[in-house]
PDB file of all heavy atoms in Angstrom:
ATOM      1  N   GLN A  18     116.389  44.641   8.453  1.00 99.00           N
ATOM      2  CA  GLN A  18     115.165  45.447   8.503  1.00 99.00           C
ATOM      3  C   GLN A  18     114.869  45.958   9.871  1.00 99.00           C
ATOM      4  O   GLN A  18     114.152  46.975   9.986  1.00 99.00           O
ATOM      5  CB  GLN A  18     114.060  44.792   7.825  1.00 99.00           C
ATOM      6  CG  GLN A  18     114.109  44.503   6.286  1.00 99.00           C
ATOM      7  CD  GLN A  18     112.877  43.923   5.702  1.00 99.00           C
ATOM      8  OE1 GLN A  18     112.758  42.662   5.722  1.00 99.00           O
ATOM      9  NE2 GLN A  18     112.043  44.758   5.118  1.00 99.00           N
ATOM     10  N   HIS A 118     118.278  36.360   4.655  1.00 99.00           N
ATOM     11  CA  HIS A 118     117.245  37.399   4.149  1.00 99.00           C
ATOM     12  C   HIS A 118     117.997  38.559   3.646  1.00 99.00           C
ATOM     13  O   HIS A 118     117.869  39.624   4.147  1.00 99.00           O
ATOM     14  CB  HIS A 118     116.255  37.707   5.229  1.00 99.00           C
ATOM     15  CG  HIS A 118     114.975  38.258   4.861  1.00 99.00           C
ATOM     16  ND1 HIS A 118     113.684  37.752   5.229  1.00 99.00           N
ATOM     17  CD2 HIS A 118     114.636  39.342   4.118  1.00 99.00           C
ATOM     18  CE1 HIS A 118     112.776  38.423   4.754  1.00 99.00           C
ATOM     19  NE2 HIS A 118     113.347  39.414   4.102  1.00 99.00           N
ATOM     20  N   TRP A 119     118.924  38.355   2.723  1.00 99.00           N
ATOM     21  CA  TRP A 119     119.531  39.354   1.900  1.00 99.00           C
ATOM     22  C   TRP A 119     120.675  40.131   2.421  1.00 99.00           C
ATOM     23  O   TRP A 119     121.329  41.001   1.725  1.00 99.00           O
ATOM     24  CB  TRP A 119     118.440  40.417   1.311  1.00 99.00           C
ATOM     25  CG  TRP A 119     117.276  39.843   0.892  1.00 99.00           C
ATOM     26  CD1 TRP A 119     116.999  38.366   0.488  1.00 99.00           C
ATOM     27  CD2 TRP A 119     115.989  40.466   0.518  1.00 99.00           C
ATOM     28  NE1 TRP A 119     115.768  38.237   0.111  1.00 99.00           N
ATOM     29  CE2 TRP A 119     115.094  39.446   0.072  1.00 99.00           C
ATOM     30  CE3 TRP A 119     115.653  41.741   0.575  1.00 99.00           C
ATOM     31  CZ2 TRP A 119     113.807  39.814  -0.440  1.00 99.00           C
ATOM     32  CZ3 TRP A 119     114.284  42.091   0.166  1.00 99.00           C
ATOM     33  CH2 TRP A 119     113.456  41.161  -0.315  1.00 99.00           C
ATOM     34  N   ASN A 162     115.336  33.271   1.873  1.00 99.00           N
ATOM     35  CA  ASN A 162     113.984  34.026   1.838  1.00 99.00           C
ATOM     36  C   ASN A 162     114.012  34.624   0.319  1.00 99.00           C
ATOM     37  O   ASN A 162     115.044  35.447   0.038  1.00 99.00           O
ATOM     38  CB  ASN A 162     113.990  35.061   2.750  1.00 99.00           C
ATOM     39  CG  ASN A 162     112.801  36.084   2.541  1.00 99.00           C
ATOM     40  OD1 ASN A 162     111.553  35.521   2.824  1.00 99.00           O
ATOM     41  ND2 ASN A 162     112.794  37.222   2.108  1.00 99.00           N
ATOM     42  N   GLU A 163     113.114  34.332  -0.515  1.00 99.00           N
ATOM     43  CA  GLU A 163     112.953  35.063  -1.842  1.00 99.00           C
ATOM     44  C   GLU A 163     114.156  35.152  -2.625  1.00 99.00           C
ATOM     45  O   GLU A 163     114.755  36.230  -2.891  1.00 99.00           O
ATOM     46  CB  GLU A 163     112.246  36.359  -1.532  1.00 99.00           C
ATOM     47  CG  GLU A 163     110.985  36.434  -0.709  1.00 99.00           C
ATOM     48  CD  GLU A 163     110.255  37.721  -0.839  1.00 99.00           C
ATOM     49  OE1 GLU A 163     110.797  38.769  -1.220  1.00 99.00           O
ATOM     50  OE2 GLU A 163     109.086  37.696  -0.381  1.00 99.00           O
ATOM     51  N   TRP A 165     114.443  35.130  -5.735  1.00 99.00           N
ATOM     52  CA  TRP A 165     114.178  35.889  -6.810  1.00 99.00           C
ATOM     53  C   TRP A 165     114.579  37.388  -6.536  1.00 99.00           C
ATOM     54  O   TRP A 165     115.268  37.981  -7.290  1.00 99.00           O
ATOM     55  CB  TRP A 165     112.722  35.924  -7.205  1.00 99.00           C
ATOM     56  CG  TRP A 165     112.370  36.862  -8.458  1.00 99.00           C
ATOM     57  CD1 TRP A 165     112.509  36.455  -9.799  1.00 99.00           C
ATOM     58  CD2 TRP A 165     112.053  38.150  -8.326  1.00 99.00           C
ATOM     59  NE1 TRP A 165     112.246  37.589 -10.445  1.00 99.00           N
ATOM     60  CE2 TRP A 165     111.841  38.554  -9.692  1.00 99.00           C
ATOM     61  CE3 TRP A 165     111.730  39.106  -7.323  1.00 99.00           C
ATOM     62  CZ2 TRP A 165     111.454  39.928 -10.068  1.00 99.00           C
ATOM     63  CZ3 TRP A 165     111.330  40.347  -7.754  1.00 99.00           C
ATOM     64  CH2 TRP A 165     111.243  40.803  -9.070  1.00 99.00           C
ATOM     65  N   CYS A 166     114.263  37.877  -5.406  1.00 99.00           N
ATOM     66  CA  CYS A 166     114.690  39.226  -4.989  1.00 99.00           C
ATOM     67  C   CYS A 166     116.162  39.371  -4.821  1.00 99.00           C
ATOM     68  O   CYS A 166     116.697  40.299  -5.416  1.00 99.00           O
ATOM     69  CB  CYS A 166     114.035  39.610  -3.670  1.00 99.00           C
ATOM     70  SG  CYS A 166     112.176  39.734  -3.780  1.00 99.00           S
ATOM     71  N   PHE A 240     106.474  36.536 -17.941  1.00 98.00           N
ATOM     72  CA  PHE A 240     106.696  36.936 -16.600  1.00 98.00           C
ATOM     73  C   PHE A 240     106.619  35.892 -15.505  1.00 98.00           C
ATOM     74  O   PHE A 240     107.359  35.753 -14.475  1.00 98.00           O
ATOM     75  CB  PHE A 240     105.669  38.064 -16.265  1.00 98.00           C
ATOM     76  CG  PHE A 240     105.830  38.791 -14.846  1.00 98.00           C
ATOM     77  CD1 PHE A 240     107.057  39.470 -14.644  1.00 98.00           C
ATOM     78  CD2 PHE A 240     104.947  38.616 -13.881  1.00 98.00           C
ATOM     79  CE1 PHE A 240     107.351  40.101 -13.464  1.00 98.00           C
ATOM     80  CE2 PHE A 240     105.174  39.183 -12.644  1.00 98.00           C
ATOM     81  CZ  PHE A 240     106.436  39.939 -12.478  1.00 98.00           C
ATOM     82  N   ASN A 293     105.857  33.348   0.217  1.00 99.00           N
ATOM     83  CA  ASN A 293     105.467  34.710   0.528  1.00 99.00           C
ATOM     84  C   ASN A 293     104.532  35.200  -0.500  1.00 99.00           C
ATOM     85  O   ASN A 293     104.929  35.294  -1.763  1.00 99.00           O
ATOM     86  CB  ASN A 293     106.707  35.652   0.722  1.00 99.00           C
ATOM     87  CG  ASN A 293     107.696  35.327   1.845  1.00 99.00           C
ATOM     88  OD1 ASN A 293     107.308  34.536   2.616  1.00 99.00           O
ATOM     89  ND2 ASN A 293     108.804  35.959   1.718  1.00 99.00           N
ATOM     90  N   TYR A 295     101.888  38.164  -1.669  1.00 98.00           N
ATOM     91  CA  TYR A 295     101.392  39.723  -1.457  1.00 98.00           C
ATOM     92  C   TYR A 295     100.315  40.047  -2.631  1.00 98.00           C
ATOM     93  O   TYR A 295      99.287  40.727  -2.185  1.00 98.00           O
ATOM     94  CB  TYR A 295     102.597  40.612  -1.506  1.00 98.00           C
ATOM     95  CG  TYR A 295     103.425  40.653  -0.357  1.00 98.00           C
ATOM     96  CD1 TYR A 295     104.520  39.691  -0.266  1.00 98.00           C
ATOM     97  CD2 TYR A 295     102.995  41.278   0.881  1.00 98.00           C
ATOM     98  CE1 TYR A 295     105.305  39.686   0.792  1.00 98.00           C
ATOM     99  CE2 TYR A 295     103.808  41.018   1.999  1.00 98.00           C
ATOM    100  CZ  TYR A 295     104.983  40.215   1.924  1.00 98.00           C
ATOM    101  OH  TYR A 295     105.677  40.120   3.106  1.00 98.00           O
ATOM    102  N   GLU A 351     105.043  34.693   4.652  1.00 99.00           N
ATOM    103  CA  GLU A 351     104.893  36.074   4.685  1.00 99.00           C
ATOM    104  C   GLU A 351     103.583  36.433   3.954  1.00 99.00           C
ATOM    105  O   GLU A 351     103.312  35.834   2.846  1.00 99.00           O
ATOM    106  CB  GLU A 351     105.932  36.986   3.982  1.00 99.00           C
ATOM    107  CG  GLU A 351     107.207  37.020   4.955  1.00 99.00           C
ATOM    108  CD  GLU A 351     108.311  37.872   4.056  1.00 99.00           C
ATOM    109  OE1 GLU A 351     107.922  38.735   3.327  1.00 99.00           O
ATOM    110  OE2 GLU A 351     109.477  37.688   4.360  1.00 99.00           O
ATOM    111  N   TRP A 398     103.421  39.330   7.931  1.00 99.00           N
ATOM    112  CA  TRP A 398     104.493  40.363   7.618  1.00 99.00           C
ATOM    113  C   TRP A 398     103.880  41.753   7.784  1.00 99.00           C
ATOM    114  O   TRP A 398     103.078  42.155   6.975  1.00 99.00           O
ATOM    115  CB  TRP A 398     105.205  40.143   6.214  1.00 99.00           C
ATOM    116  CG  TRP A 398     106.305  41.141   6.160  1.00 99.00           C
ATOM    117  CD1 TRP A 398     106.258  42.361   5.680  1.00 99.00           C
ATOM    118  CD2 TRP A 398     107.754  40.848   6.473  1.00 99.00           C
ATOM    119  NE1 TRP A 398     107.511  42.898   5.726  1.00 99.00           N
ATOM    120  CE2 TRP A 398     108.308  42.024   6.080  1.00 99.00           C
ATOM    121  CE3 TRP A 398     108.349  39.756   6.897  1.00 99.00           C
ATOM    122  CZ2 TRP A 398     109.756  42.161   6.411  1.00 99.00           C
ATOM    123  CZ3 TRP A 398     109.745  39.762   7.207  1.00 99.00           C
ATOM    124  CH2 TRP A 398     110.499  41.044   6.881  1.00 99.00           C
ATOM    125  N   GLU A 405     112.135  49.304   4.780  1.00 98.00           N
ATOM    126  CA  GLU A 405     111.564  48.589   3.703  1.00 98.00           C
ATOM    127  C   GLU A 405     112.385  48.851   2.543  1.00 98.00           C
ATOM    128  O   GLU A 405     112.111  49.219   1.468  1.00 98.00           O
ATOM    129  CB  GLU A 405     110.166  49.048   3.462  1.00 98.00           C
ATOM    130  CG  GLU A 405     109.283  48.375   2.346  1.00 98.00           C
ATOM    131  CD  GLU A 405     109.445  46.789   2.348  1.00 98.00           C
ATOM    132  OE1 GLU A 405     109.331  46.317   3.406  1.00 98.00           O
ATOM    133  OE2 GLU A 405     109.566  46.302   1.325  1.00 98.00           O
ATOM    134  N   TRP A 406     113.725  48.171   2.679  1.00 98.00           N
ATOM    135  CA  TRP A 406     114.576  48.115   1.527  1.00 98.00           C
ATOM    136  C   TRP A 406     114.723  49.433   0.793  1.00 98.00           C
ATOM    137  O   TRP A 406     114.865  50.503   1.295  1.00 98.00           O
ATOM    138  CB  TRP A 406     114.400  46.893   0.702  1.00 98.00           C
ATOM    139  CG  TRP A 406     114.253  45.627   1.519  1.00 98.00           C
ATOM    140  CD1 TRP A 406     113.231  44.940   1.857  1.00 98.00           C
ATOM    141  CD2 TRP A 406     115.245  44.929   2.267  1.00 98.00           C
ATOM    142  NE1 TRP A 406     113.326  43.868   2.522  1.00 98.00           N
ATOM    143  CE2 TRP A 406     114.689  43.760   2.852  1.00 98.00           C
ATOM    144  CE3 TRP A 406     116.529  45.222   2.480  1.00 98.00           C
ATOM    145  CZ2 TRP A 406     115.445  42.930   3.667  1.00 98.00           C
ATOM    146  CZ3 TRP A 406     117.304  44.311   3.192  1.00 98.00           C
ATOM    147  CH2 TRP A 406     116.802  43.183   3.853  1.00 98.00           C
TER     148      TRP A 406
HETATM  149  S1  NCW B 501     110.072  43.807  -1.081  1.00 78.56           S
HETATM  150  C1  NCW B 501     109.498  42.246  -0.722  1.00 78.56           C
HETATM  151  N1  NCW B 501     109.120  42.104   0.466  1.00 78.56           N
HETATM  152  C2  NCW B 501     108.864  43.002   1.409  1.00 78.56           C
HETATM  153  C3  NCW B 501     110.033  42.869   2.441  1.00 78.56           C
HETATM  154  O1  NCW B 501     109.889  43.763   3.570  1.00 78.56           O
HETATM  155  C4  NCW B 501     110.464  41.542   2.915  1.00 78.56           C
HETATM  156  O2  NCW B 501     111.666  41.612   3.477  1.00 78.56           O
HETATM  157  C5  NCW B 501     110.299  40.634   1.811  1.00 78.56           C
HETATM  158  O3  NCW B 501     110.446  39.276   2.232  1.00 78.56           O
HETATM  159  C6  NCW B 501     107.561  42.389   2.110  1.00 78.56           C
HETATM  160  O4  NCW B 501     107.945  40.962   1.826  1.00 78.56           O
HETATM  161  C7  NCW B 501     109.068  40.812   1.041  1.00 78.56           C
HETATM  162  N2  NCW B 501     109.275  41.497  -1.688  1.00 78.56           N
HETATM  163  C8  NCW B 501     109.480  41.762  -3.046  1.00 78.56           C
HETATM  164  C9  NCW B 501     108.297  41.480  -3.895  1.00 78.56           C
HETATM  165  C10 NCW B 501     108.690  41.720  -5.171  1.00 78.56           C
HETATM  166  C11 NCW B 501     107.666  42.162  -6.056  1.00 78.56           C
HETATM  167  C12 NCW B 501     107.857  41.760  -7.502  1.00 78.56           C
HETATM  168  C13 NCW B 501     107.747  42.840  -8.509  1.00 78.56           C
HETATM  169  C14 NCW B 501     107.899  42.402  -9.877  1.00 78.56           C
HETATM  170  C15 NCW B 501     108.742  43.193 -10.749  1.00 78.56           C
END
Side-chain angles (χ1 to χ4, degrees):
Q18 292 183 274
H118 200 127
W119 312 349
N162 178 72
E163 304 191 349
W165 180 86
C166 292
F240 187 65
N293 293 350
Y295 289 93
E351 286 178 28
W398 182 272
E405 182 46 45
W406 307 113

